[in-house]
Amino acid sequence: MGFTVAIVGRPNVGKSTLFNRLIGQRASIVDDISGVTRDRKYGMSVWNGKTFNVIDTGGFVPNSNDIFEKAIREQVAIAIEEASLIVFVVDVLTGITDLDDSMANLLRRSDKTVIVAVNKVDNNRRILEAAEFYSLGFEETYFISSINGTGSGELLDAVTAHIAEEEEEEESDLPRFAIIGQPNVGKSSLLNALIGETRNIVTNIAGTTRDSTHTHYNLYQKEFLLIDTAGIRKKARVHENLEFYSVMRAIKAMDEADVCILVIDAQMGIEAQDMSIFRLAVKKKKGIVILINKWDLVEKDSNTINEYKKNILEKFAPFNDLPILFISALYKQRIFKAIEVAIDVHERRTTKIPTSQLNEVMLEAIQRHNPPAIKGRYVKIKYVTQLPTHAPAFAFFCNYPRYIKQPYKNYLENQLRQHFNLTGVPISLFFRKK
């Protein structure tokens, strides 16, 4: 199961900088103006051999002052409910503010693990000043400077200490499908259309689904588990926080699933949030099926589908070997076809290609188009094998692994996709010294 860390704190304490450090890249817009993180922020981090999700709540805060503090408190409440662990970021330069105090009160009352990160502690004087944050009453308090990285190793050690070693789960070997997507794209209508009973209340207000549900589906010789992510709570939330909440749920469901069925609203088209959810599913190496829902509402001519497909695949590049279906959950158009496609993707994700066949095809493709020489050295790839991983991964053994650049990796991936049916399945390539 996935482990999710939520970074909370009032604006301008350095949540985004810390987030970037944890996931190892500069992803947010970071600026010295309060509330400047406008992007949706979630990613993955690996430390001490353990992988976990990281969510920066700052990306979900509205900028109008009247609902500002209320929204931040709401976010803390959502994080308490949904995250596995909370990193509470405070700022040594301002000391403990009223908003810090009220957030600390909320966090203390919860039963979640809370780690306090006192940020901007980058000299000895500030270490002394940072000591006042012990008065917030959290046992695990760390002094860090997220800009230059001081203390981030100790903080990561503390976070990963709370992640249990992955036990081999007694899993049913049924494929697990998660229906993911933004609020109000029709995830619950799709689930209900498939199950044929209104087990979730579906109304036309974004975010009215009650909770994440696992449904065992066994009909028409098809058997699988459906994970409905749509679990928005009953209380209507500020729009931004609704989005934050649904993202928390989507990430949780992705971790449980083998194949993610990404539902997109045909009228809205692909939005930034869809892209982020898609990229995370790719990063987690999940099978992916794209459903364009509410297709009945789109005015069409003979070319509409092709144009729409082309547009989607361009947006999802470089990984665009994807099954795309146009459906209407309301009229049950092509929804069973969607399940058949998801089952196919699941089978492709678990295929093992015989080594002899892999070498026959790939070594010929490599001979046709050798890796370019670098610094007068010729790269020779001798042997290919598939690794025993959950999702397809291939190891190429060669004399100079580090000289193989991205364009050539793309060529090899395209060759694999052309010769072995891997539509909807992200794959990984590794280059090792022979």
Side-chain angles (χ1 to χ4, degrees):
M1 291 303 292
F3 190 91
T4 300
V5 174
I7 302 174
V8 305
R10 57 191 176 76
N12 223 27
V13 290
K15 295 190 294 297
S16 298
T17 320
L18 175 62
F19 171 83
N20 293 337
R21 195 158 279 287
L22 294 187
I23 66 165
Q25 65 196 64
R26 289 213 45 174
S28 324
I29 315 161
V30 181
D31 210 330
D32 246 355
I33 312 152
S34 158
V36 103
T37 314
R38 294 305 313 135
D39 219 352
R40 310 284 167 250
K41 289 277 89 31
Y42 36 99
M44 283 160 61
S45 183
V46 182
W47 186 259
N48 289 345
K50 293 175 179 175
T51 305
F52 55 96
N53 303 308
V54 189
I55 298 191
D56 168 18
T57 56
F60 300 88
V61 170
N63 13 14
S64 62
N65 287 333
D66 49 335
I67 54 170
F68 202 63
E69 295 197 5
K70 177 170 165 281
I72 294 169
R73 287 197 190 92
E74 272 184 3
Q75 269 185 12
V76 173
I78 294 172
I80 286 171
E81 193 174 324
E82 293 295 320
S84 321
L85 178 146
I86 294 162
V87 174
F88 176 26
V89 186
V90 289
D91 180 349
V92 69
L93 301 183
T94 56
I96 297 172
T97 67
D98 293 349
L99 190 50
D100 290 330
D101 253 338
S102 73
M103 288 170 85
N105 280 331
L106 277 173
L107 292 165
R108 271 197 301 271
R109 290 203 296 271
S110 81
D111 54 357
K112 287 285 158 83
T113 304
V114 177
I115 294 178
V116 175
V118 186
N119 194 17
K120 307 181 189 174
V121 183
D122 47 18
N123 60 38
N124 288 341
R125 196 189 79 248
R126 287 182 183 176
I127 290 175
L128 294 172
E129 290 165 3
E132 77 158 304
F133 287 92
Y134 285 116
S135 70
L136 290 174
F138 295 100
E139 198 177 318
E140 298 191 61
T141 296
Y142 292 85
F143 300 164
I144 65 165
S145 164
S146 53
I147 277 216
N148 62 29
T150 316
S152 56
E154 288 85 346
L155 178 67
L156 277 161
D157 286 344
V159 168
T160 49
H162 290 282
I163 305 177
E165 291 297 335
E166 289 286 317
E167 294 122 35
E168 278 306 309
E169 297 168 23
E170 289 271 315
E171 278 301 344
S172 66
D173 44 10
L174 291 177
R176 286 167 303 179
F177 301 153
I179 300 173
I180 59 177
Q182 298 200 63
N184 217 23
V185 292
K187 299 188 292 290
S188 299
S189 312
L190 175 61
L191 187 82
N192 296 335
L194 287 168
I195 306 165
E197 55 181 288
T198 311
R199 61 167 300 160
N200 298 4
I201 302 158
V202 180
T203 58
N204 218 354
I205 313 153
T208 41
T209 320
R210 293 307 168 84
D211 215 306
S212 161
T213 46
H214 286 53
T215 307
H216 182 185
Y217 183 102
N218 190 356
L219 277 175
Y220 315 121
Q221 290 89 52
K222 298 194 180 2
E223 198 178 0
F224 53 87
L225 290 175
L226 262 179
I227 303 160
D228 176 26
T229 61
I232 313 298
R233 284 159 65 220
K234 300 175 201 68
K235 295 193 206 68
R237 301 199 158 272
V238 185
H239 175 71
E240 301 263 337
N241 278 346
L242 177 78
E243 201 175 2
F244 170 52
Y245 194 79
S246 57
V247 162
M248 294 285 294
R249 278 299 161 94
I251 289 175
K252 204 177 253 190
M254 260 185 224
D255 284 330
E256 293 175 31
D258 302 310
V259 176
C260 295
I261 298 173
L262 175 57
V263 185
I264 290 167
D265 184 319
Q267 292 177 297
M268 305 294 288
I270 292 183
E271 298 180 315
Q273 185 78 316
D274 299 312
M275 296 295 299
S276 305
I277 291 176
F278 171 77
R279 296 229 162 88
L280 195 62
V282 172
K283 209 168 180 182
K284 289 177 179 292
K285 304 292 176 207
K286 302 298 181 181
I288 299 170
V289 177
I290 310 287
L291 298 188
I292 311 296
N293 188 26
K294 309 186 189 175
W295 192 240
D296 50 299
L297 302 177
V298 173
E299 284 193 21
K300 301 176 261 303
D301 60 35
S302 57
N303 215 12
T304 316
I305 281 196
N306 292 338
E307 285 296 308
Y308 210 102
K309 265 191 180 167
K310 187 169 158 245
N311 180 27
I312 290 176
L313 293 177
E314 276 169 9
K315 288 197 171 158
F316 284 148
F319 176 41
N320 50 17
D321 183 10
L322 292 163
I324 300 173
L325 286 160
F326 295 84
I327 68 159
S328 162
L330 186 62
Y331 296 110
K332 299 194 176 185
Q333 282 171 340
R334 287 181 288 280
I335 59 168
F336 294 104
K337 176 73 181 154
I339 288 304
E340 282 172 15
V341 170
I343 289 171
D344 290 347
V345 168
H346 177 259
E347 280 171 7
R348 290 197 281 271
R349 186 171 174 262
T350 50
T351 20
K352 296 282 177 264
I353 302 166
T355 306
S356 56
Q357 200 184 345
L358 199 55
N359 279 284
E360 194 181 319
V361 167
M362 292 308 291
L363 293 180
E364 189 192 325
I366 289 161
Q367 265 180 341
R368 273 202 314 276
H369 181 53
N370 278 305
I374 291 187
K375 299 179 186 165
R377 300 201 164 156
Y378 288 93
V379 180
K380 290 208 168 22
I381 298 175
K382 302 274 171 44
Y383 179 74
V384 193
T385 184
Q386 185 174 353
L387 300 170
T389 47
H390 284 309
F394 302 91
F396 291 80
F397 291 90
C398 57
N399 50 356
Y400 300 115
R402 67 176 191 281
Y403 287 163
I404 293 184
K405 300 288 182 255
Q406 197 56 48
Y408 196 74
K409 290 178 185 175
N410 296 348
Y411 166 73
L412 292 175
E413 176 168 341
N414 290 337
Q415 290 298 314
L416 281 163
R417 291 188 178 283
Q418 264 172 39
H419 292 95
F420 306 102
N421 184 358
L422 292 164
T423 300
V425 182
I427 61 178
S428 317
L429 308 186
F430 298 95
F431 295 87
R432 305 212 169 133
K433 193 146 176 78
K434 179 74 176 147

